[in-house]
Amino acid sequence: IAVGIGHAVTGKKDLAVKPAVNSQAKTLAEMEDNWESFSFAPIRESQVSRAMTRRYFADLDNYAESDIVIVGAGSCGLSTAYILGKKRPDLKIAIIEAGVAPGGGAWLGGQLFSAMVMRKPADAFLNDLGVPFEDEGDFVVVKHAALFTSTLLSRVLSLPNIKLFNATTVEDLITRPAPTSADPHAVRIAGVVTNWTLVSMHHDDQSCMDPNTINAPLVISTTGHDGPFGAFSVKRLVSMQQIEKLGGMRGLDMRTAEDAIVKRTREVVKGLVVGGMELSEVDGANRMGPTFGAMALSGVKAAEEALKIIDE
Ligand code: AHZ
């Protein structure tokens, strides 16, 4: 990796930071019993700052035009990203997650218990990821939900064509006119409007803090069921009169809910595919509670639907 040479603002030569030479490369075994003589390689604070900001701003520049934006990095959004990013290294995929920590509700099972349950055939997704599980017949159990989520995250983040922007909220959708004979006011979705989440949370008590944008021919929304942040895109579709009203998530019925969510994962308006529990708000589908197979397989279906649209 090329390391830039940093200079202090004074411009004085003696403050210049030398390029790092990896002279201190050591194995962990070599460090053992040698702590008296131990020291880290040298650094200047500005090098750390530049190492982070240079990459972040390059990513902001690069992903301002993305092929696909995924809104929400919960179990469905991350599953979608995993399948898409792996299948199609040619596509540039931005994930926008409002929280600092990606993963949505998938760090624990039901009622904050550790284990995560997935009904078959979602075990196929776990096998693909390489997450071990116990087989209980019709369903499988991962010993800790965090094992699923951390493995999925590490696979997604390792893909070179995916960038996760966390602590960033999608505040609005970019639209373009796409009139049809049935609806002269119809639009297609053409990207997202973003802001730092902390800024989004303070629009009521700060004067105008304008957002940023990402253009993309396809947005996949997986923002979960209604709540402080949830069901974002589909609620916006109602207020911009692209769908008449939301069905409203119905009560818990695991059997009905999981099949419905996977089967109904689709392009809801042109340019916007919806997956995971956000769909239950559109269609008035049941919730499933703490069983996550539908989130993984809705992600697989969302990726498939997205590729059909992208390749059209
Ligand atoms: O922070 C949210 C979470 O990580 C994020 N999000 C929501 N609105 C956003 C916005 N901009 C950016 N405007 C946003 N990010 O979206 C993520 C949603 O994750 P989730 O785990 O809530 O949803 P999911 O559909 O992936 O998984 C649902 C899991 C559930 S809920 C449920 C039940 O209530 O019965 N059962 C299951 C399995």
Side-chain angles (χ1 to χ4, degrees):
I1 295 173
V3 179
I5 303 173
H7 292 273
V9 278
T10 58
K12 279 187 193 154
K13 255 201 169 154
D14 57 341
L15 292 181
V17 176
K18 301 260 165 23
V21 183
N22 203 4
S23 58
Q24 299 223 347
K26 278 186 176 150
T27 64
L28 288 179
E30 280 167 338
M31 281 180 230
E32 270 174 33
D33 288 332
N34 250 329
W35 298 111
E36 278 308 312
S37 61
F38 170 86
S39 73
F40 279 105
I43 195 125
R44 187 172 173 77
E45 287 77 2
S46 60
Q47 285 181 294
V48 178
S49 188
R50 284 175 174 153
M52 296 186 296
T53 55
R54 188 190 303 132
R55 286 169 175 80
Y56 199 85
F57 287 110
D59 283 335
L60 278 179
D61 182 354
N62 185 20
Y63 284 85
E65 284 284 352
S66 293
D67 294 305
I68 297 178
V69 174
I70 297 174
V71 189
S75 45
C76 182
L78 288 173
S79 301
T80 310
Y82 170 66
I83 299 291
L84 271 177
K86 199 166 68 123
K87 262 197 188 160
R88 291 293 295 271
D90 58 310
L91 296 179
K92 210 193 310 177
I93 302 164
I95 309 176
I96 311 295
E97 167 52 50
V100 172
W107 290 108
L108 288 162
Q111 202 174 312
L112 309 184
F113 302 134
S114 311
M116 175 182 264
V117 173
M118 282 201 188
R119 291 162 65 197
K120 291 183 179 175
D123 53 325
F125 190 83
L126 296 174
N127 283 329
D128 195 284
L129 261 184
V131 171
F133 52 78
E134 283 177 71
D135 194 326
E136 297 228 12
D138 285 337
F139 64 92
V140 300
V141 185
V142 179
K143 71 173 185 178
H144 203 301
L147 176 60
F148 167 75
T149 301
S150 60
T151 308
L152 182 55
L153 257 176
S154 79
R155 298 268 192 280
V156 166
L157 294 177
S158 303
L159 292 167
N161 54 329
I162 293 187
K163 170 69 187 177
L164 168 68
F165 295 94
N166 44 338
T168 306
T169 293
V170 169
E171 290 193 338
D172 207 346
L173 300 169
I174 298 176
T175 65
R176 298 280 184 261
T180 62
S181 49
D183 181 3
H185 303 295
V187 298
R188 69 181 168 83
I189 306 306
V192 295
V193 178
T194 65
N195 219 327
W196 306 121
T197 298
L198 286 176
V199 173
S200 291
M201 290 166 74
H202 283 278
H203 286 310
D204 288 343
D205 56 35
Q206 298 288 322
S207 57
C208 180
M209 292 184 286
D210 273 325
N212 195 15
T213 56
I214 299 181
N215 281 113
L218 188 69
V219 174
I220 304 176
S221 192
T222 62
T223 66
H225 58 67
D226 203 1
F229 277 113
F232 172 79
S233 301
V234 297
K235 286 193 286 192
R236 188 69 183 105
L237 291 183
V238 175
S239 61
M240 61 168 79
Q241 299 178 359
Q242 293 305 303
I243 54 180
E244 205 179 309
K245 61 181 175 101
L246 295 180
M249 184 178 71
R250 304 296 159 89
L252 193 151
D253 178 349
M254 283 184 188
R255 287 194 184 196
T256 311
E258 288 216 283
D259 293 358
I261 292 295
V262 175
K263 287 182 180 161
R264 291 173 179 190
T265 299
R266 66 186 185 283
E267 188 179 35
V268 170
V269 304
K270 242 185 159 356
L272 185 83
V273 169
V274 180
M277 283 308 282
E278 186 167 357
L279 262 179
S280 69
E281 300 289 353
V282 184
D283 294 334
N286 293 99
R287 70 195 299 187
M288 71 288 294
T291 171
F292 283 81
M295 296 304 112
L297 297 189
S298 173
V300 175
K301 177 116 187 289
E304 194 180 311
E305 296 295 310
L307 291 180
K308 276 189 224 157
I309 297 162
I310 289 273
D311 293 336
E312 242 168 34

